[in-house]
């Protein structure tokens, strides 16, 4: 990862933590033990050809979920995030600058996994609250308190390639459908190795955070916003970074 971006992120983590001391800050109500990261690991299971990534917290992983806002305008998103050294091409995006991260998310106001019925009720459009994964590309963004957003692009940019499982919004954002399991203090996700170009040598970190959607009533929601606009999906509060400095020090072990 770019060193300047890492330093910027570290500064933003500190400032975000201070801001969360004020309960009026976005996401402050969710800052509890369920998002206090204590450890992480990624294990390549050769017999199944899977990379299983996990994050452990001091509370109960996945227990706290967002309260619906009733609108896409400021829809809340909670996330356990694994920033990685993977390249965008490894997960199906066209080449671009930024941090490739796997985010395990819950958000009751929208369903962005149209191919998957996570709660198995026969309705594919009502299960955004169920913890599920997204590949994203993160970039620095000073328009939001958390200092990062999911990278956007113009809708008419024909050079941008997204995975076939992407839900069709103009950001580097995919809904890969990997299995996510919560058990006590641990949340896990299982990634078929072929879905990441068989890359089992990447480094990663563990982050917990609060994001918000921004869905304007009109206009292009891509990267060329007016200065006063918000990103389509931005990080508003960072609860914790396991390494402390987003140094991505953890590596995949093999089993």
């Amino acid at each position: 990862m770019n060193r300047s971006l890492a330093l910027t992120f570290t500064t933003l983590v500190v400032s975000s933590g201070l801001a969360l001391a004020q309960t009026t800050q976005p996401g402050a109500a969710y800052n509890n033990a369920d998002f206090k990261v204590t450890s992480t690991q990624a294990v390549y299971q050769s017999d199944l050809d899977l990379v299983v990534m996990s994050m452990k917290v001091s509370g109960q992983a996945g227990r706290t979920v967002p309260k619906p806002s009733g609108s896409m305008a400021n829809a809340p998103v909670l996330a356990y995030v694994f920033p990685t050294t993977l390249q965008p091409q490894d997960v199906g995006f066209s080449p671009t600058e930024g941090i490739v991260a796997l985010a395990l998310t819950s958000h009751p106001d929208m369903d962005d996994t149209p191919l998957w019925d996570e709660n198995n009720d026969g309705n594919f459009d009502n299960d955004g609250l169920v913890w599920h994964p997204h590949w994203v590309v993160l970039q620095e963004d000073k328009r939001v308190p958390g200092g990062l957003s999911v990278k956007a692009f113009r809708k008419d940019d024909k050079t941008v390639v997204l995975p076939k499982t992407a839900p069709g919004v103009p950001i580097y954002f995919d809904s890969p459908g990997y299995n996510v399991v919560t058990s006590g203090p641990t949340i896990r996700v299982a990634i078929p190795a072929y879905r990441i170009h068989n890359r089992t040598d990447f480094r990663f970190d563990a982050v917990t955070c609060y994001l918000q959607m921004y869905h304007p009533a009109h206009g292009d929601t891509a990267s060329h916003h007016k200065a006063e606009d918000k990103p389509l999906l931005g990080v508003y509060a960072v609860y914790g970074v396991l390494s402390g400095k987003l140094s991505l020090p953890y590596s995949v072990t093999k089993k």
Side-chain angles (χ1 to χ4, degrees), residues 81-83 203-207 241-243 245-250:
V81 183
F82 299 96
R203 299 191 312 279
F204 65 98
D205 214 326
V207 176
V241 181
L242 187 59
S243 70
K245 296 182 179 179
L246 199 69
S247 54
L248 280 62
Y250 310 107

Side-chain angles (χ1 to χ4, degrees), residues 40-42 51-55 78-86 91 93 99-105 131-138 150 172-180 187-192 195-196 202-209 211 248:
T40 189
Q41 67 173 353
V51 176
V52 178
M53 304 191 73
S54 63
M55 196 181 303
L78 286 171
Y80 300 89
V81 183
F82 299 96
T84 75
T85 57
L86 291 168
V91 299
F93 298 122
I99 305 170
V100 174
L102 184 61
L104 312 183
T105 69
W131 290 96
H132 59 279
H134 293 293
W135 284 115
V136 297
V137 176
L138 298 173
V150 178
Y172 287 88
F173 183 89
D174 182 35
S175 302
Y178 309 146
N179 197 30
V180 174
I187 188 166
R188 296 181 177 88
V189 58
I191 309 167
R195 298 282 297 274
I196 52 173
F202 61 90
R203 299 191 312 279
F204 65 98
D205 214 326
V207 176
T208 52
C209 60
L211 306 91
L248 280 62

Side-chain angles (χ1 to χ4, degrees), residues 1-11 99 245-247:
M1 183 181 61
N2 183 280
R3 186 172 183 274
S4 63
L5 183 54
L7 291 172
T8 299
F9 185 82
T10 301
T11 302
I99 305 170
K245 296 182 179 179
L246 199 69
S247 54

Side-chain angles (χ1 to χ4, degrees), residues 206-230:
V207 176
T208 52
C209 60
Y210 171 82
L211 306 91
Q212 280 185 186
M213 290 290 297
Y214 173 63
H215 191 72
H218 57 81
D220 190 358
T221 57
S223 58
H224 296 284
H225 289 288
K226 295 179 180 178
E228 66 270 23
D229 285 345
K230 302 174 185 178

Side-chain angles (χ1 to χ4, degrees), residues 68-237:
S69 68
S71 168
M72 287 285 286
N74 295 292
V77 180
L78 286 171
Y80 300 89
V81 183
F82 299 96
T84 75
T85 57
L86 291 168
Q87 297 300 305
Q89 306 92 296
D90 293 327
V91 299
F93 298 122
S94 50
T96 191
E97 294 294 321
I99 305 170
V100 174
L102 184 61
L104 312 183
T105 69
S106 174
H107 42 72
D109 292 292
M110 57 200 164
D111 188 321
D112 48 17
T113 59
L115 298 178
W116 323 111
D117 179 18
E118 288 93 342
N119 60 8
N120 294 306
D121 67 349
N123 185 343
F124 286 70
D125 300 323
N126 69 348
D127 39 29
L129 193 65
V130 179
W131 290 96
H132 59 279
H134 293 293
W135 284 115
V136 297
V137 176
L138 298 173
Q139 66 175 5
E140 182 181 354
D141 196 322
K142 296 180 180 179
R143 294 173 294 172
V144 287
L148 294 169
S149 67
V150 178
K151 189 173 186 177
F153 56 86
R154 295 192 64 87
K155 290 181 180 179
D156 59 359
D157 188 344
K158 302 301 183 182
T159 68
V160 175
V161 175
L162 301 178
K164 299 296 185 183
T165 47
V169 289
I171 52 178
Y172 287 88
F173 183 89
D174 182 35
S175 302
Y178 309 146
N179 197 30
V180 174
V181 176
T182 57
S183 178
T186 305
I187 188 166
R188 296 181 177 88
V189 58
I191 309 167
Y194 79 94
R195 298 282 297 274
I196 52 173
H197 281 187
N198 296 306
R199 286 284 308 277
T200 58
D201 58 348
F202 61 90
R203 299 191 312 279
F204 65 98
D205 214 326
V207 176
T208 52
C209 60
Y210 171 82
L211 306 91
Q212 280 185 186
M213 290 290 297
Y214 173 63
H215 191 72
H218 57 81
D220 190 358
T221 57
S223 58
H224 296 284
H225 289 288
K226 295 179 180 178
E228 66 270 23
D229 285 345
K230 302 174 185 178
L232 182 60
L233 182 55
V235 178
Y236 282 72

